[in-house]
Amino acid sequence: MSLNQYDVLIIGAGASGLMAAYMAAQRGRRVVVVEKANKVGKKILMSGGGKCNFTNLYVEPENFISHNPHFVISALSRYSNWDFIGLVADHGIQYEERKHGQLFTLNGSKDILTMLLNECEKTGLVEIKTNCDVKAVTSINDCNFQVATNIGYFQAESVVIASGGLSIPTLGGSAIGYEIAKQFGHHVFPTRAGLVPFTFTDSFKEITHRLSGNAIDVTLSNDLNSFTEALLFTHRGLSGPSALQLSNYWHVGQSFQINFFPQIDLNEYLKSKKTAQPKVFIRTLFNEFLPKSIVLELQNLIWPDIAEIAIGHISDERLLTLSQQLHEFSVKPSGTEGYRTAEVTLGGVDTTEVSSKTMESKKQKGLFFIGEILDVTGHLGGFNFQWAWSSAHATAQYV
């Protein structure tokens, strides 16, 4: 082989790219990974607040969004969350379980990146080239590709697109993978920012601005899904796990509902308090559940007419209306913060044109797609990393 000829060339040194590299090399394949950024694994390092939520204890196909929902089943079953947890344990990486089965490293995301790089190094067959920008990918015959980059030409039997999506461009997100897919005749579903905070431009923005920094457990819902998790008020709008989750199921122009009291039937609670504590104000009752600043904002919005009336003097009908409004408070974002802060990219390469067993293109022999480039998006909680590991494993067995 010439210096620039390899069995496998992988575009992108992120989670899926590095995973595929070492696993393919374990099969004796000579691999080169090209990365346009100056460092590898930038998104790994910043994920989970620097702690890397590397998988989840409860991984099901239902945790993923795709136009072709059955596509994920094969790869997830052949390399499961337990397989990756085993790898983490083999490397002595300490981790903890948080809410909803999320697994985070104890000592930082660098442990996961170091593990992947050590596995690559151990094979002796993986080269990684940073500051390497892919310009063109050309099929030069049935079993070979030429890849033009800013540092020269490479040849490989297999090319793996692991370039990720458009989210957080400062960490290396780019459209190169979609361009290559289209070049080889693939349909690419329109992309948009996912797992991203909501923004507002109406009067509700002033409220979120005043409440910035407050976090409460609520249920956010629309016609497509519902999530009961923390909601964070920000200077620009709404964030936190519940908002990020629902953003995957939201489009511009749509409203969604906030249930500020998901833990109780508010109407029953207020009626019982009307009997037991008739002289109390509603805000005093709500202060047991929510921060005072949030209660006061909601009071100004929803029940200013009865703010100074003791609950014993408020009609059952008015209490019912109040309960309904607080269980189904409707808001209409103007948009999201976009790719700048999005954790994932929704949409991508149409999976009906890709083998679910190998991740190989059905249109071009030797071309593979793994990770975020595909039209597969996981919920918040380690699912996108698990898709990176599972899809990389699937490809590594065949490149």
Side-chain angles (χ1 to χ4, degrees):
M1 280 188 177
S2 73
L3 280 177
N4 281 359
Q5 191 161 352
Y6 299 85
D7 297 314
V8 184
L9 182 142
I10 298 172
I11 300 175
S16 61
L18 293 174
M19 186 82 170
Y22 95 75
M23 286 187 153
Q26 283 179 334
R27 294 178 44 242
R29 309 296 280 162
R30 188 167 172 237
V31 181
V32 63
V33 186
V34 296
E35 169 57 54
K36 77 165 193 170
N38 60 343
K39 291 178 182 170
V40 303
K42 282 187 172 185
K43 209 168 173 184
I44 297 174
L45 291 175
M46 63 77 66
S47 67
K51 291 288 187 178
C52 194
N53 178 193
F54 58 85
T55 192
N56 196 290
L57 290 177
Y58 313 108
V59 178
E60 301 292 341
E62 293 72 35
N63 299 125
F64 298 87
I65 303 163
S66 175
H67 288 84
N68 177 22
H70 298 293
F71 180 79
V72 300
I73 295 172
S74 175
L76 291 173
S77 62
R78 284 179 293 128
Y79 191 87
S80 72
N81 48 341
W82 300 108
D83 291 312
F84 194 79
I85 291 166
L87 178 66
V88 167
D90 288 346
H91 281 256
I93 295 172
Q94 293 180 296
Y95 62 89
E96 63 179 353
E97 178 188 350
R98 296 190 193 170
K99 284 194 299 187
H100 309 295
Q102 301 172 46
L103 299 186
F104 287 80
T105 61
L106 277 176
N107 299 316
S109 307
K110 65 182 185 305
D111 282 359
I112 299 295
L113 180 56
T114 300
M115 173 188 80
L116 295 170
L117 292 173
N118 285 347
E119 288 289 343
C120 285
E121 195 175 346
K122 209 158 62 178
T123 66
L125 292 172
V126 177
E127 291 180 45
I128 299 173
K129 300 187 183 294
T130 54
N131 294 308
C132 183
D133 205 357
V134 173
K135 304 297 185 186
V137 176
T138 312
S139 173
I140 50 178
N141 54 45
D142 279 350
C143 58
N144 234 328
F145 293 88
Q146 181 169 277
V147 179
T149 77
N150 61 317
I151 61 170
Y153 290 89
F154 298 88
Q155 286 189 11
E157 288 177 25
S158 301
V159 168
V160 181
I161 311 297
S163 52
L166 301 171
S167 51
I168 319 184
T170 53
L171 298 181
S174 83
I176 183 68
Y178 305 123
E179 292 163 9
I180 294 168
K182 289 174 182 174
Q183 174 196 332
F184 286 99
H186 278 270
H187 173 243
V188 176
F189 284 106
T191 57
R192 60 189 174 91
L195 296 179
V196 63
F198 291 109
T199 56
F200 294 82
T201 54
D202 58 8
S203 57
F204 191 67
K205 182 188 177 182
E206 296 164 23
I207 295 170
T208 67
H209 186 85
R210 288 194 294 269
L211 293 175
S212 181
N214 278 288
I216 53 174
D217 284 334
V218 301
T219 298
L220 294 194
S221 59
N222 61 12
D223 292 341
L224 294 176
N225 219 322
S226 169
F227 296 95
T228 303
E229 291 190 59
L231 177 72
L232 174 68
F233 292 89
T234 74
H235 291 294
R236 303 184 68 197
L238 297 174
S239 187
S242 60
L244 298 183
Q245 296 278 39
L246 197 69
S247 73
N248 281 354
Y249 296 90
W250 177 86
H251 290 274
V252 173
Q254 295 178 338
S255 300
F256 61 82
Q257 285 68 51
I258 305 173
N259 180 353
F260 285 101
F261 293 86
Q263 69 276 54
I264 59 171
D265 180 325
L266 198 51
N267 190 45
E268 291 299 318
Y269 170 79
L270 291 175
K271 282 200 295 186
S272 69
K273 290 297 181 181
K274 183 176 176 177
T275 304
Q277 296 173 259
K279 294 182 179 179
V280 76
F281 292 130
I282 287 171
R283 62 175 172 270
T284 308
L285 296 171
F286 288 173
N287 286 338
E288 294 180 33
F289 298 93
L290 300 169
K292 285 184 180 179
S293 56
I294 293 178
V295 173
L296 287 174
E297 290 287 355
L298 291 175
Q299 174 179 277
N300 292 337
L301 262 179
I302 299 172
W303 71 94
D305 55 317
I306 52 172
E308 305 306 326
I309 301 175
I311 192 169
H313 296 292
I314 301 172
S315 72
D316 287 355
E317 289 78 12
R318 184 67 183 91
L319 292 178
L320 175 61
T321 304
L322 174 61
S323 301
Q324 290 169 337
Q325 288 174 301
L326 286 165
H327 277 318
E328 297 181 0
F329 184 80
S330 185
V331 294
K332 188 175 182 179
S334 57
T336 70
E337 291 190 4
Y339 292 121
R340 183 179 65 83
T341 58
E343 294 194 20
V344 292
T345 305
L346 288 151
V349 176
D350 187 341
T351 58
T352 61
E353 301 171 348
V354 176
S355 164
S356 62
K357 184 180 181 184
T358 66
M359 305 292 140
E360 186 174 20
S361 163
K362 293 178 181 177
K363 293 176 172 288
Q364 173 62 52
K365 182 174 164 53
L367 182 66
F368 298 79
F369 299 95
I370 57 175
E372 193 181 350
I373 190 72
L374 288 160
D375 174 40
V376 174
T377 303
H379 288 173
L380 189 72
F383 301 104
N384 288 292
F385 270 123
Q386 186 57 47
W387 176 245
W389 316 137
S390 297
S391 59
H393 169 268
T395 277
Q397 311 312 306
Y398 292 93
V399 288

